[in-house]
Structure formats: structure tokens, C-alpha cells
Amino acid sequence: MPLAGKATKMTGTKIALVGIGKIAVDQHVPALNASDAWDLSATVSRKGSVEGVPAFTDFHQMLAERPDIGVISLCLPPVPRFEYAQAALLAGRHVMLEKPPGATLAEVITLQKLAAERGLTLYTTWHSRMAHAVAPARDWLADKVIRKAHITWREDVRKWHPGQDWVFEPGGMGVFDPGINALSIMTHILPEAVHLQSATLEFPANRQTAIAAQLQFSGNVSADFDWRQTGPQTWDIEIETDGGHLALRMGGNVLELNGQPTAGENTIMGEYPALYARMAELLEMGQSEVDLAPMIHVSDALTLGRRKETEAFFF
Amino acid sequence: MPLAGKATKMTGTKIALVGIGKIAVDQHVPALNASDAWDLSATVSRKGSVEGVPAFTDFHQMLAERPDIGVISLCLPPVPRFEYAQAALLAGRHVMLEKPPGATLAEVITLQKLAAERGLTLYTTWHSRMAHAVAPARDWLADKVIRKAHITWREDVRKWHPGQDWVFEPGGMGVFDPGINALSIMTHILPEAVHLQSATLEFPANRQTAIAAQLQFSGNVSADFDWRQTGPQTWDIEIETDGGHLALRMGGNVLELNGQPTAGENTIMGEYPALYARMAELLEMGQSEVDLAPMIHVSDALTLGRRKETEAFFF
């Protein structure tokens, strides 16, 4: 990186990134490097590192040795995340959590209380809410009556999580790992909250989490999640209202109103840059943002859903 | 009932009881009849009724015809409960919910919001918290450090739910139907919140809900739920602290400190009379009491738990 760039970065807020896996490399690191507001000052990971950034393997050592780093972004898988988040808050650091914010609801509520007690910022991020067309969709829906909504979220787990058996382990979320992105958009754009009424969950005979799910919510809202879709991938939300038809396609990136694509706002930033901009804003205001709604719908589906065994799944 | 009794009841707050099944007949009706604060003014049930009390089969008809009844107590199974609670709140009535307060977390949150918007009382009851020894246990634990806690909740589903197949249907809770009583006590008496770390759930091959569960929480707290226990039934919570050993036995009704039974307070009222006394207090104060913590732990167990298939269960 040229010296000019380095000098600019010196003014950013120091942040440490924990869990240098695929999502960190693909999204978090580029977002932080592209922003003047942030200075990626350390990484913590068993194996991964980022060139030019001090790398730690032990989180407690990093916390002890780098009191100058006030913000921690956690992008490791949900199950171990709580211990790191709790340690960071107890060490007086602000915390940003990848989605889902934890393996259980109770642990996130514990973190929320801890952050509040210590006057620290906790931000449970939902990256799909930052997709280009989500805010315009929300604005358009705000004064409409929803007659019907349907989510189709079908992708190929072999393409997006090649060989990652942990996604099918307890706490690995299964098809709700992508599905919760759809639910994070749904809970953000619908003008009235909905609740699950019934669900069917398809569990492969050899797995602990669902590979497909059909959800029926109140208010004529439904969702179809499937992790077995080869060929073109589908991340669509279609909504019938008293004022016309809205479709959000490409995971919230394309908006169609009454069948016509709307002009994209090309100046809007990407999902992860927008998350980090929001974190900077929360720090500035001294606030937290903790929204459990998408995770509650997943828990509700696993509590209320009817289980069907389906054929064994192998990567 | 003698005339004197009837005259006294005239001064009580009018309440309608919805869902006249086993729990209503065994607990709610006797509690209401024994209290001067309440006047059981109507029942709503497909089949059940209470002698001397006007009986409706249609809830909306009761709401329309009896505007004088300001409080509704819902003791039907969790799955249909939301529609009734929502209708009652929309009709301006205060609402009391049997445990668990709903089939999903999202629906109870919706009710909570609705009650708050309309200035109505919503009370999510947890009857086991009213067992005789729970308040003394909570007081004794308040200044202690918990070293270890273990819940053993083992009963015979054939004895308590004879032939009730719905308890094994989606939303029927399975072994968490009794287990949530233990969790309602646990979340009430422990001085610090805990969160689930892992769980094993045993699903009979022919059923949709678990018949047994082993839960491991943070803070060295664990639980063993089983619905297959014949012979003596066990509802115990044992807690090791820095100030000695506490045991709550008989579902919260017997307290032992360091192995010695404590003298029971015989003047304390029963669980359901205490719930209705609390509802009267909430109405008086114009407040709601909505605690989702026990239900969140169940949702977390179903989200994070490892499933094991066990032998088919038949009543």
C-alpha cells in the first residue's frame, strides 16, 4: 500500500478482526481497507492472517497487548462467538457481530445486558439489510397494506459452503444460514411484524440441521428455503400490496415495482462497507443496535416446525 | 353455593375463562371460586363448562355480548392461543396466559406490543414460580455465588397426559411441557442469567417432539428432563453455592438448606391462587408482566440441540 494510503488510515478507528475465514477475506477486510474511518490494526485467527496487519492466534493475548484497539469485529462461526464477545465486552471493547449474532438467543440477550451495563456499543449486523434495493423497498412499503408476500431463497450449499460439514452440525443453522438473510430483509421491510404459524423442515437422514424449509407466517406471508438448488440461484421476495406489486430480487439488490425494474442507485455502498459505516455511526452516538427478530423466527421454526426426513446429504 | 358467598362474589372483578379442559377444572376454576377478588362470569369452550357460569362456545360472541367482562384468562393449548389473545386485546380486554405463553416467541412479542399500545395488562404466567419454596429459595440465593446447579425433572407422560397425542405434535412441546416449569423456576431463582451451551434431545421414532432432553448451560448449570419415569416422580433442583447447598424438591414446594428441610410456610397460597392475586395486582398498577426467558431456553435447546432417535412411543 502506498505511503499516502497508510497515512490516511492512521486517522481511522482501530479495529481488530477475529476469525479470518472466507467471509472475512471476501468481505470484512476489503470493506475495512476501503474505508478512511477504520484502521484494521490486528487479526486473531488460528490459521488466517491479513498481509501487513499484526496477527494474533490468542484472543486474550491480543486484548491484553493492544489496549489501543477499542473495537472488535467477530466473524467466526456462531457457536464459539459468545465467549469472544463476552471477553471483549468485559475488556471494555465495543463489539460488532456477524450474522447470526450467536448460537442461542439467551447468549445474545446476555451480551446486550453486559454492553448496556458497561456503556459499550454492541451491533448485531444483518448484512442483507444493506443490499442496494432494501431501503427503497422498505420506503415504498411503509404506507401500503400487505396482501401477500412470498420469499424464495434457493441456493446450492455445495457451491457456497463446499465441504463445510459444520453447517449441518447443531448450531450450524442448516438452510437457515442463508434463510436468515431473507428473514432479516423481511423483518426490516414489512410495515407490520408477522409470526410463524406452521413450518415443514426437511432433515437429511444423516444430518442435524434442515436442508430445506417451508414457512407459513401470519398475514399471508410465506417462505421457501432450499439448499439443493443447482443452476441459477434464487433470492427473491415478492409482495402484493393494495398499491401494486413489489419484487426484490438478487438478495435485495434489484427492485421491481409492478413488473418494471427501477433504476439502481449506483452510488450506494456495498453491504459490508455499509455495516462498518453503521458501526462508526453507533460508536459516534454511543448506542447499541441489537435486533433479534430474524433469529427469533428461526428459533420459532425449529420449535414449531414439523420434521420430515429426506435423503442423506453428502458434499 | 350459599347466598352469602354469591353476594361476596358480586364485588369481584369479572373474568372469563377460555378453554375448559383439565388444567381449568383442576386449577383455574377452584382458584377463582376461592377468591373474593374475582367473579368468574363466563366460560368459552367447545365442550367444557362450569356449573352456574354462563357458557359460550364462540369467543367473538362472548366478547360482543359481555362488554362488562374486562379480563380474559386463556388456558387452551399453546398453538391456538394467539388468535384468542389478539382478539381479546383488540376488544380492549386484559389478558392472562397459561404457560407457555404461546407457540412461538414472535407471537408473544406481538401481543406484548399490542397490549402496550392499548394500555392493557398482559400477564404471561409461570405457575411453578408460585410454588411454596421458590420465593424463599430465590431470597437465599440472592447473595450467593453459584458453583453448580442441576435440575432433575422426570415424570411419567402416561400419568400426566394420558392419551394426549397433541403433546407430541409440533408446538406441543414434548418433554419441555413439564421442563419449562423447571426452567421458569431456574430463571427466577438464579442470581445471574445463564445460556444454553449444548443439548441432547431424544425424539421417539414416531413423534415430532422430544421425550427426553439433557441441557448444559453456562455457569455449570445443567438439566435432565425425562418423560418416561414410572414410579416415584422427580422434580428437583440442587444448587451448590459458596454459602452451602440448596435443594428445591417437589416442583418447588420443599426447600432444603444444607440437607435440612426448612419449615414450610403454611400460610402461603397455592400456585394458581397466587397467579390470580398477581393478575389483580398488575391490573391495579396498570402494568404488564411478560417474561419470555423460560421459553427462550426451550427455543435455544431446539435450535442448538443434537437430535437422537429413540424407540417409538405409544400411550
Side-chain angles (χ1 to χ4, degrees):
Chain A
M1 186 178 283
L3 280 175
K6 232 181 156 54
T8 307
K9 300 296 284 183
M10 298 285 287
T11 64
T13 302
K14 289 179 184 171
I15 187 168
L17 200 54
V18 181
I20 307 301
K22 182 168 164 49
I23 192 75
V25 171
D26 290 354
Q27 301 289 352
H28 290 258
V29 174
L32 288 167
N33 282 342
S35 168
D36 288 343
W38 294 100
D39 173 14
L40 178 54
S41 305
T43 61
V44 183
S45 196
R46 276 175 305 176
K47 293 177 193 167
S49 65
V50 175
E51 205 184 325
V53 178
F56 291 79
T57 53
D58 185 282
F59 186 54
H60 293 277
Q61 187 191 349
M62 190 280 288
L63 290 173
E65 292 184 7
R66 295 299 303 269
D68 58 312
I69 301 177
V71 185
I72 312 293
S73 180
L74 298 178
C75 39
L76 24 73
V79 170
R81 206 178 290 153
F82 172 81
E83 302 293 339
Y84 287 80
Q86 185 184 41
L89 292 168
L90 288 173
R93 308 319 213 275
H94 305 285
V95 172
M96 182 166 156
L97 299 170
E98 247 297 350
K99 69 92 198 175
T104 64
L105 291 164
E107 72 184 48
V108 187
I109 293 167
T110 295
L111 294 177
Q112 184 175 23
K113 186 161 168 275
L114 186 58
E117 282 167 1
R118 304 199 168 219
L120 295 166
T121 291
L122 178 68
Y123 178 25
T124 60
T125 68
W126 299 105
H127 66 81
S128 292
R129 287 183 177 173
M130 298 301 192
H132 292 173
V134 170
R138 185 187 201 196
D139 292 344
W140 189 85
L141 289 168
D143 61 354
K144 305 289 189 301
V145 175
I146 309 302
R147 297 217 166 114
K148 182 175 181 171
H150 186 68
I151 298 168
T152 308
W153 222 256
R154 292 174 157 260
E155 58 175 58
D156 183 355
V157 63
R158 291 188 175 88
K159 175 177 166 68
W160 301 100
H161 294 276
Q164 292 180 31
D165 282 307
W166 69 265
V167 300
F168 286 113
E169 282 298 289
M173 302 279 292
V175 75
F176 291 103
D177 176 80
I180 204 168
N181 294 335
L183 297 174
S184 76
I185 296 175
M186 178 190 89
T187 50
H188 192 61
I189 65 175
L190 290 183
E192 298 278 342
V194 297
H195 60 269
L196 191 80
Q197 293 177 320
S198 64
T200 302
L201 312 173
E202 297 179 47
F203 280 67
N206 61 336
R207 300 290 183 174
Q208 285 284 331
T209 60
I211 198 162
Q214 297 87 46
L215 313 181
Q216 181 63 52
F217 294 92
S218 59
N220 212 8
V221 175
S222 55
D224 168 23
F225 297 159
D226 205 310
W227 232 358
R228 297 166 300 195
Q229 174 139 319
T230 53
Q233 310 281 286
T234 311
W235 300 287
D236 285 355
I237 301 179
E238 309 237 13
I239 306 183
E240 300 286 348
T241 79
D242 62 340
H245 181 270
L246 175 147
L248 258 180
R249 304 199 188 282
M250 303 291 290
N253 282 292
V254 171
L255 178 62
E256 284 176 18
L257 295 175
N258 299 312
Q260 300 301 313
T262 58
E265 297 183 43
N266 291 319
T267 54
I268 290 181
M269 62 177 87
E271 294 180 13
Y272 282 80
L275 293 181
Y276 280 100
R278 177 66 181 151
M279 182 66 180
E281 204 172 73
L282 289 169
L283 288 171
E284 181 81 20
M285 298 185 297
Q287 292 178 4
S288 283
E289 185 176 305
V290 177
D291 183 1
L292 294 178
M295 206 171 156
I296 283 172
H297 288 309
V298 173
S299 294
D300 284 348
L302 292 164
T303 304
L304 188 58
R306 180 174 291 277
R307 284 150 210 290
K308 273 171 52 179
E309 190 172 299
T310 183
E311 64 177 314
F313 177 86
F314 301 95
F315 278 104
Chain B
M1 188 178 282
L3 280 174
K6 231 181 158 51
T8 307
K9 301 296 284 183
M10 299 285 287
T11 64
T13 302
K14 289 179 184 171
I15 187 167
L17 200 54
V18 182
I20 308 300
K22 182 168 163 49
I23 192 73
V25 171
D26 290 353
Q27 301 290 350
H28 290 259
V29 173
L32 287 167
N33 281 343
S35 167
D36 288 344
W38 295 100
D39 173 14
L40 178 54
S41 305
T43 61
V44 183
S45 196
R46 277 175 305 176
K47 292 178 193 165
S49 65
V50 174
E51 205 184 327
V53 177
F56 292 78
T57 54
D58 185 282
F59 186 54
H60 292 277
Q61 188 190 348
M62 190 281 287
L63 290 173
E65 292 184 8
R66 295 298 304 270
D68 57 312
I69 301 177
V71 185
I72 312 292
S73 180
L74 299 178
C75 38
L76 24 74
V79 169
R81 205 177 291 153
F82 172 82
E83 302 294 338
Y84 287 80
Q86 185 184 41
L89 292 168
L90 288 173
R93 309 316 214 277
H94 306 285
V95 172
M96 182 167 157
L97 299 171
E98 247 297 349
K99 69 92 199 176
T104 64
L105 291 164
E107 71 185 48
V108 186
I109 293 167
T110 295
L111 295 176
Q112 184 175 24
K113 186 162 168 276
L114 187 57
E117 282 167 3
R118 304 198 168 220
L120 296 166
T121 291
L122 178 68
Y123 178 24
T124 60
T125 68
W126 298 105
H127 66 81
S128 292
R129 286 184 178 173
M130 297 300 192
H132 292 172
V134 170
R138 186 187 201 195
D139 292 344
W140 190 84
L141 290 168
D143 60 355
K144 306 289 191 301
V145 175
I146 309 301
R147 298 218 165 114
K148 182 177 181 170
H150 185 69
I151 298 168
T152 308
W153 222 256
R154 291 174 158 260
E155 58 174 58
D156 184 354
V157 64
R158 290 187 177 89
K159 174 177 166 71
W160 302 100
H161 294 276
Q164 292 180 32
D165 283 306
W166 68 266
V167 300
F168 286 112
E169 282 297 289
M173 303 278 291
V175 76
F176 292 103
D177 176 80
I180 205 169
N181 294 335
L183 297 174
S184 76
I185 296 175
M186 177 190 90
T187 49
H188 193 60
I189 65 174
L190 290 183
E192 298 279 341
V194 297
H195 61 270
L196 191 80
Q197 293 177 320
S198 64
T200 302
L201 311 173
E202 297 179 48
F203 279 68
N206 62 334
R207 300 290 183 175
Q208 284 285 331
T209 60
I211 197 163
Q214 298 86 45
L215 313 181
Q216 181 62 52
F217 294 93
S218 59
N220 212 7
V221 175
S222 55
D224 168 23
F225 298 158
D226 205 310
W227 233 357
R228 297 166 300 194
Q229 174 138 320
T230 54
Q233 310 281 285
T234 311
W235 300 286
D236 285 355
I237 301 179
E238 309 237 13
I239 306 183
E240 300 286 348
T241 78
D242 62 339
H245 180 271
L246 176 147
L248 257 180
R249 305 200 189 281
M250 304 292 289
N253 282 293
V254 171
L255 178 62
E256 284 176 17
L257 295 175
N258 299 312
Q260 300 302 314
T262 59
E265 297 183 42
N266 291 320
T267 54
I268 291 182
M269 63 177 87
E271 295 179 14
Y272 282 80
L275 292 181
Y276 280 100
R278 177 66 181 152
M279 182 66 180
E281 203 173 74
L282 289 169
L283 288 171
E284 181 81 19
M285 298 185 297
Q287 292 179 4
S288 284
E289 184 175 305
V290 177
D291 183 2
L292 295 177
M295 206 170 155
I296 282 172
H297 288 309
V298 173
S299 294
D300 285 346
L302 292 165
T303 304
L304 188 58
R306 180 173 292 277
R307 284 150 210 291
K308 273 172 51 181
E309 190 172 299
T310 183
E311 65 178 314
F313 177 87
F314 301 94
F315 278 104

